[in-house]
Amino acid sequence: MSGSNSSDASFAHAASRPPETRADSPLAFTVHSMPSTGEAMAQAEARQTRSGRWKMLSVLLVCAAPVIASYFTYYVVRPEGRRNFGELIQPQQVMPPQAMVTLLDGKQEPLEQLKGQWLLVSAAPAACAAPCPDNLYLQRQLREGLGKEKERMDWVWLVTDDAAIPADMQSGLQQATVLRADPALVAQWIRPAAGQALADHIYVIDPMGNWMMRFPAHMDRKGASRAKRDLERLMRASSSWDQAGRATEAKP
């Protein structure tokens, strides 16, 4: 019994002592200090900021996806041998923010009222010397040539001075959007090719107000036919997201 009592006493003494740990023991661990309240709040705010930025980026990508997809379809996924007649503008030029234009009756309106439709744009002084009359005629014919899709495109003449428009031209402009715009304002948005004048071209603007294409100067009948094919492809490529008319009809 004495041996048993001795064993029991040794067991009790051992059980009452904390276990010895060695640095290389698998059970050894280190207790790290907890971050302060200020550090924890800063880390939480940083995580929220990163999360908010990702959410904002996701929203922007979702909004831009249809437009990106249509341009990708038009410019990248193309049949072999296709060549665009119009010159693609890279980078695209955004519509000048808070810019104002003047209606023929003298009333001022924001340029942004033109957003929401594809636009065929020409720019020239009111006297409309050559090639202005040809471009206005081609704008009308190109739009009419789109058939039922023509309601998705407006043709616009930006008059770059304050002179009166010739009376014999006014009847032919019934379906056009005619606006007076400061030449300096126009130059912030659309520009001619090297060696050409602003009035020499017809320009294409997408529904978000971005200048994205310029047709060659002084188009002949063959060139107009090729320009029409470009516009038809643009209409097909954007048909999934662009509808006729603007969200709020504020056309002048």
Side-chain angles (χ1 to χ4, degrees):
M1 293 297 290
S2 60
S4 175
N5 290 336
S6 176
S7 298
D8 290 344
S10 298
F11 177 80
H13 177 71
S16 66
R17 296 172 58 191
E20 294 182 1
T21 58
R22 295 164 49 193
D24 57 351
S25 170
L27 296 179
F29 62 93
T30 302
V31 178
H32 296 279
S33 61
M34 297 296 290
S36 66
T37 303
E39 292 175 342
M41 292 179 64
Q43 293 173 1
E45 290 178 358
R47 286 195 296 270
Q48 290 178 352
T49 299
R50 288 194 297 269
S51 176
R53 287 174 179 171
W54 279 111
K55 289 179 180 178
M56 182 179 295
L57 180 60
S58 299
V59 171
L60 292 175
L61 288 175
V62 168
C63 294
V67 183
I68 295 172
S70 67
Y71 285 162
F72 181 83
T73 300
Y74 182 73
Y75 293 110
V76 180
V77 184
R78 61 180 69 181
E80 290 185 8
R82 178 194 295 180
R83 290 176 177 267
N84 302 320
F85 180 63
E87 177 187 354
L88 177 63
I89 305 304
Q90 292 286 4
Q92 296 177 14
Q93 299 297 306
V94 299
M95 181 180 287
Q98 301 180 341
M100 302 296 290
V101 290
T102 306
L103 309 185
L104 295 184
D105 62 6
K107 180 181 178 181
Q108 285 201 324
E109 296 282 357
L111 180 62
E112 288 187 339
Q113 70 178 338
L114 295 177
K115 288 185 176 181
Q117 290 276 84
W118 287 95
L119 306 175
L120 275 178
V121 176
S122 62
C128 200
C132 172
D134 292 337
N135 283 343
L136 290 174
Y137 172 78
L138 286 175
Q139 285 174 268
R140 181 178 63 185
Q141 294 302 103
L142 287 170
R143 180 178 181 272
E144 290 296 321
L146 295 175
K148 65 180 182 180
E149 299 293 344
K150 71 179 184 179
E151 299 303 325
R152 294 169 54 199
M153 179 168 285
D154 290 348
W155 61 291
V156 179
W157 178 19
L158 298 178
V159 181
T160 55
D161 62 11
D162 296 326
I165 294 174
D168 59 352
M169 290 184 59
Q170 295 181 12
S171 61
L173 297 171
Q174 296 297 318
Q175 298 179 22
T177 299
V178 183
L179 303 168
R180 296 189 189 275
D182 188 312
L185 169 67
V186 177
Q188 296 177 32
W189 191 24
I190 57 176
R191 291 185 290 275
Q196 302 293 338
L198 183 68
D200 292 342
H201 300 277
I202 294 175
Y203 308 86
V204 181
I205 313 296
D206 72 19
M208 290 164 295
N210 301 317
W211 170 39
M212 50 79 63
M213 182 178 283
R214 174 176 57 211
F215 288 125
H218 309 291
M219 283 193 295
D220 56 14
R221 181 173 299 180
K222 182 179 179 181
S225 178
R226 296 177 65 186
K228 178 175 176 289
R229 287 197 294 270
D230 275 2
L231 296 178
E232 289 171 340
R233 288 196 291 265
L234 276 175
M235 294 299 100
R236 286 196 298 269
S238 61
S239 61
S240 63
W241 58 271
D242 175 57
Q243 303 298 319
R246 294 177 172 84
T248 55
E249 290 295 334
K251 298 169 68 174

